[in-house]
Amino acid sequence: MAAIASRGNPLLKSLPLFLTWRYLRYRTICSGRLGFASSSLPSISEQLPVPGTKVLETFKEEFEIGSRVITLETGKVARFANGAVVMAMDETRVLSTVASSKGEGAHDFLPLTELVDYQEKQFAQGVIPTTFMRREGAPKERELLCGRLIDRPIRPLFPAGFYHEVQVMASVLSSDGKQDPDVMAANATSAALMLSDIPWGGPIGVIRIGRISGQFIVNPSMDELGLSDLNLVYACTKEKTLMMDVQAREISEKDLEAALRLAHPEAVRYLEPQLRLAARAGKSKKEYKLSMVSDVTMEKVRNLAVAPIEAVFTDHTYGKFERGEALDLITQNVKRVLQEECDEESLKVLPKVVDTVRKEVVRRRIIAEGLRVDGRQLDEVRPLYCESGNLPILHGSSLFSRGDTQVLCTVTLGSRGDAQRLASLVGPSTKRFMLHYSFPPFSINEVGKRVGLNRREVGHGTLAEKALLAVLPSEEKLPFTVRINSEVMASDGSTSMATVCGGSMALMDAGIPLRGHVAGVSVGLVSEVDPLTNTIKDYRIVTDILGLEDHLGDMDFKIAGTRNGITAVQLDIKPAGIPLDIICECLEPALRGRLQILDRMEQEINAPRPQHDRNSPRIAMLKFSNDSLRRLIGPMGSLKRKIEEETGARISVSDETLTIVAKNQSVMDKVQEKCCFACNPTIFWNGVDFIVGREIEIGGIYKGVVTSVKEYGAFVEFNGGQQGLLHISELSHEPVIHITDMVSVGQQISLMCIGRDVRGNIKLSLKATLPRRDSDTNDVVEEPTPVTKQASSVWEGSIGNVPDSEEEQNSDLEKLSIAKDKNSEGSLGTYKTPSFLIRSAAECDEEEKSAGLNPSSESTSEPQSISGSDKKLKSSLSDEKNQKKLKASLSDKKKLKKLKASPLKNSGSVSSVNSRTDTEVPKTCINEQKLKLGTKLNAKVNQIRKRGLVLDLGGGIQGMYRFEGDNSERDFEVGDELHVVCSSFSTKGIPVMSLVEDD
């Protein structure tokens, strides 16, 4: 039946095994039954085809340089690239690949600069990027610099006329942070070019040299570089130098030469492994079409242009643009002749041929006659012009000119928070010193477009940054972020070295204490090469080269340093290498030229300039505890942003440091006034104030602004935005009925901090800053009581609105006037609740005797303030004759003192204290220790509530009186003086007073 089914449907023949009955172990239908098949059928793994195994043929070379084991490997990854090599050192691995375009070269130059791509992705160190898209974006400065480091040594080794596009891509696969991958990427690129079919005159070796305690180190780690005073990157072939990049801390020329002599043989050790790897796995070099100029065309153009070109270069009166216009006119004349002859081949290469003729003329005059284009001697520096402080409103500024080259440098100081954040695989995470170099098109009278980061600008700015970094003070002495902005105003060669000179003067103008001025000069080389042996027959070293000499010469050797030594070096060459002996010979003329420039710079400014101009930007650093900074910046930084918006200043917060950057001194004063800081400078460093703030103290006086007014008091903002309560009882020594009569929103007042309440809120007082007025209600003049800092008192504080119910009234009074816990501490002081003990009459008498409060003692009895205007009080004066006698008795000070020394005993005046169980204490000397049950005293009505009075007992103590019988609020007025006795204390220690009936 299966056969029938197969003939009926041919598709069943092609069914896969797992869809058949036999795979499911079922037999076909036989005799009307369905049974199980035997288990002896082949498995599915035996029926399916097995894929083949891919074998990767890899080649590896391993060698050791400077105690580091290095590996070169090819064939495992990037197999389709023209050349690909993975270089490994420890756990750091770098992949470098090269590729070349297939068509003919469409340029008249080698387009390599934009095609060298170095990239550090964050996966190499196991980190996800923090960008919004969580992926790498545009190339960073370090990636551009590493790309230049690869490009500069390999470019001179491409053959002349090779103008095909070549792309180099170097990627860091993994990094342990111990080795800088830039040197590894350059060596891997050399090995990849050797494996490819691209014509190239390599290999090259690139090495890094450091020095710690006078000992040179080959291939130092990142930790060792942090201790080294030299960071030398050296590239060479077997016999000649190709590239050099140096950052140093004032290293001498002799020591630098020793480092170069050591670096060359160490770098040559990279060559042999590359040659062995290329012999095993390299491709045969491909025949590329080279763009060459025929000898006939060269000779024809030379005969037409050489004479007028020599005439232009002989005339030293030409400037840069006049010379350029004359040379362009010569090119146009030659072009006209060729057009008349219909020589299309010569017209295609005319600009290149004319440029070659210019080069021959200039080089021949320098070597044979020692004459330069502008008529200077070979070691002569162009005329200099220096000016510092030309923009006085900035932190620092300078204008530097060398010949026609002119650079404007400015310095801006910022807080530590303004430091640049770096995302590189190695090195520090921030950079506090930055130099940004800008080369606008107008500096060479051209039209251009400014877009993004430019490799040349980044490279020149980094070179000048390295040169100046060596003389900056340490971070402890200069805790700021410094930015130099260099704007090239005019360019005629060596603008990077002019940036070094201008930047040094601008730093001095900003008041930064440099260890010394830094100057830079560029040295060139003009050589004559034997065409047969390709060796240099004769050469001339040229100091302070022009832009034309840089273009037509063989070398641009930039050297910057101080009088004590070199701080930065950068070497770029055009031929396929220069002997190291010639490179070392250039150090001496560079030193002489550098010293000439330093002399002129020191004549302009030779010491850090102090800042006294109030229009210049200012920086203040304030030291606070972290708790104070939290209160200062406010929740989520709201207070900080508010101050910045109102003043225009910039505020940044770091560990126990608050940094303020203000546009000028007036803005700085406004910020300090806004923050109410204690502006007592402890250090004045060249115009930058280091101001140390102080904490809020009880008894301290602060300026504040009223932010809101309530019926019980006013809220005041002071000391950098902190809020405090100015209670109505603390406005004046006199009773205040309406608070709006004293203060209003927006009013600036001086206040005294008198403590904190139980919730930590700050209590302020205005009357504590005012002199105490005399009590003159009855023409009795008392001596003013000085405002002193009271001891921590259980009754110190203000009483707010009292509710109608008696229980709520007592509760609120107690909460607003005392601290609940005797062990609780505020941030500004410690408050303890004193204990009160109810004693018997005998015990009180003994206590009075020991305290000197016996009523018979005249020294402790003080005259009471007498009020004769209130008829409702039984303790008031009622006899006008007695008042007249009292006025007459106070005619001179002697009578006044005698009156205060003896108690008044008039029947209608003040009740005498004759009982041994009752003690009358003067109001001016009352305190919590002297107040006890039975103490009589005069008290003033401070506030009137529905069910009682708030009394001022004196000494900052307040008590309460509850209405009894027919008494009500209509029987009293604020300011009335009552004769009261302490009858009890509340559960929280509030004194409860009762009226005293006169005899």
Side-chain angles (χ1 to χ4, degrees), residues 795 806 809-810 813-814 836 931-937 939 947-951 953 957-964 980-996:
W795 300 288
E806 183 175 349
Q809 175 187 9
N810 296 337
L813 284 173
E814 292 162 2
F836 292 91
L931 184 63
K932 36 189 177 294
L933 294 177
T935 301
K936 295 181 180 180
L937 71 161
R947 296 182 180 275
L949 304 176
V950 178
L951 303 178
L953 306 182
I957 303 174
Q958 291 183 335
M960 58 182 177
Y961 166 73
R962 297 167 183 162
F963 294 144
E964 300 175 356
V980 295
V981 61
C982 181
S983 59
S984 65
F985 291 94
S986 68
T987 57
K988 297 296 183 179
I990 300 295
V992 179
M993 314 303 292
S994 301
L995 291 177
V996 176

Side-chain angles (χ1 to χ4, degrees), residues 37 56 75 84 123 135 223 244 254 278 456 460 518 539 555 618 632 663 668 674 784 840 855 920 982:
L56 299 179
F123 73 81
R135 64 183 303 169
D223 294 336
M244 187 194 310
K254 182 179 179 180
R456 179 179 179 275
H460 282 39
V518 183
Y539 64 90
M555 177 182 72
R618 309 289 286 177
L632 181 64
K663 184 178 180 181
M668 177 62 72
K674 185 72 178 176
S840 63
E920 183 166 348
C982 181

Side-chain angles (χ1 to χ4, degrees), residues 309-379:
I309 289 177
E310 286 184 349
V312 171
F313 288 137
T314 304
D315 190 352
H316 304 316
T317 60
Y318 279 114
K320 175 181 178 178
F321 290 102
E322 292 81 4
R323 188 184 302 112
E325 292 174 357
L327 294 175
D328 290 340
L329 182 60
I330 294 173
T331 304
Q332 295 298 325
N333 294 335
V334 174
K335 182 178 180 180
R336 192 179 300 110
V337 173
L338 296 178
Q339 288 175 345
E340 293 174 356
E341 297 179 357
C342 298
D343 190 350
E344 296 296 333
E345 181 181 355
S346 299
L347 288 173
K348 291 181 181 179
V349 295
L350 178 60
K352 182 186 295 185
V353 176
V354 173
D355 187 70
T356 303
V357 175
R358 296 176 187 173
K359 184 176 182 179
E360 293 175 350
V361 172
V362 172
R363 295 168 69 90
R364 184 176 64 250
R365 284 174 53 83
I366 291 177
I367 292 177
E369 305 174 15
L371 298 177
R372 301 176 65 174
V373 174
D374 56 354
R376 286 181 292 144
Q377 299 297 321
L378 297 181
D379 60 349

Side-chain angles (χ1 to χ4, degrees), residues 729-730 733 754 763 765 767-768 772 782 785-798 817 834 836 864-865 921-931 937-940 942 951-959 991:
S729 62
E730 298 294 336
H733 295 290
I754 59 176
K763 299 188 297 183
S765 175
K767 71 179 184 181
R772 194 177 185 89
E782 294 184 1
T785 304
V787 179
T788 59
K789 185 177 179 181
Q790 300 290 337
S792 298
S793 174
V794 57
W795 300 288
E796 184 178 11
S798 58
S817 59
F836 292 91
Q864 307 300 313
S865 299
V921 182
K923 179 180 176 182
T924 56
C925 62
I926 189 67
N927 54 42
E928 61 268 22
Q929 285 79 19
K930 296 180 181 179
L931 184 63
L937 71 161
N938 285 356
K940 278 189 176 182
N942 188 285
L951 303 178
D952 182 8
L953 306 182
I957 303 174
Q958 291 183 335

Side-chain angles (χ1 to χ4, degrees), residues 209-278:
I209 302 294
R211 190 180 74 166
I212 301 177
S213 301
Q215 299 295 324
F216 291 111
I217 301 175
V218 179
N219 281 337
S221 65
M222 294 304 300
D223 294 336
E224 291 172 334
L225 279 178
L227 303 175
S228 174
D229 61 353
L230 173 66
N231 185 2
L232 165 64
V233 178
Y234 180 84
C236 65
T237 60
K238 187 175 182 179
E239 297 178 351
K240 296 181 179 180
T241 300
L242 290 172
M243 187 270 299
M244 187 194 310
D245 199 281
V246 177
Q247 180 181 1
R249 300 175 186 171
E250 297 181 286
I251 187 173
S252 65
E253 281 75 9
K254 182 179 179 180
D255 292 341
L256 179 59
E257 181 177 351
L260 295 175
R261 301 287 184 185
L262 172 65
H264 189 89
E266 293 292 337
V268 169
R269 297 175 60 184
Y270 280 95
L271 306 183
E272 188 62 29
Q274 297 181 47
L275 293 173
R276 293 197 303 265
L277 187 65

Side-chain angles (χ1 to χ4, degrees), residues 628-750:
S628 300
L629 290 178
R630 292 190 196 99
R631 295 193 302 268
L632 181 64
I633 63 178
M636 302 298 292
S638 58
L639 180 58
K640 170 179 170 291
R641 290 193 298 270
K642 178 182 177 182
I643 296 176
E644 289 178 337
E645 292 173 0
E646 293 180 354
T647 61
R650 296 173 60 185
I651 301 175
S652 63
V653 178
S654 59
D655 187 23
E656 297 187 350
T657 303
L658 181 72
T659 305
I660 303 175
V661 181
K663 184 178 180 181
N664 49 45
Q665 186 61 42
S666 61
V667 175
M668 177 62 72
D669 294 340
K670 185 178 180 181
V671 177
Q672 293 175 358
E673 182 180 357
K674 185 72 178 176
C675 299
C676 292
F677 291 130
C679 300
N680 299 320
T682 58
I683 302 176
F684 186 77
W685 173 79
N686 296 324
V688 181
D689 297 327
F690 289 78
I691 303 171
V692 180
R694 55 175 174 160
E695 298 288 347
I696 300 176
E697 297 178 353
I698 298 178
I701 297 177
Y702 304 90
K703 290 183 179 180
V705 178
V706 179
T707 57
S708 63
V709 177
K710 307 295 181 182
E711 61 180 3
Y712 53 84
F715 288 96
V716 181
E717 180 181 316
F718 73 107
N719 200 51
Q722 299 193 55
Q723 292 281 347
L725 174 62
L726 175 61
H727 195 265
I728 188 171
S729 62
E730 298 294 336
L731 284 172
S732 175
H733 295 290
E734 299 297 326
V736 177
I737 299 177
H738 300 292
I739 189 173
T740 53
D741 296 339
M742 300 293 296
V743 293
S744 60
V745 176
Q747 181 179 351
Q748 294 186 359
I749 52 179
S750 295

Side-chain angles (χ1 to χ4, degrees), residues 106-162:
H107 306 276
D108 59 351
F109 61 93
L110 178 62
L112 185 63
T113 302
E114 301 300 330
L115 297 179
V116 176
D117 186 11
Y118 173 89
Q119 191 171 26
E120 293 180 348
K121 291 192 175 181
Q122 295 299 307
F123 73 81
Q125 59 179 351
V127 174
I128 296 176
T130 57
T131 60
F132 179 77
M133 299 298 294
R134 294 300 186 266
R135 64 183 303 169
E136 289 76 14
K140 300 181 286 291
E141 286 189 10
R142 171 176 164 79
E143 294 174 334
L144 296 179
L145 292 173
C146 293
R148 281 173 54 88
L149 194 71
I150 299 171
D151 170 73
R152 286 157 53 195
I154 67 176
R155 177 181 291 273
L157 299 181
F158 285 95
F162 180 80

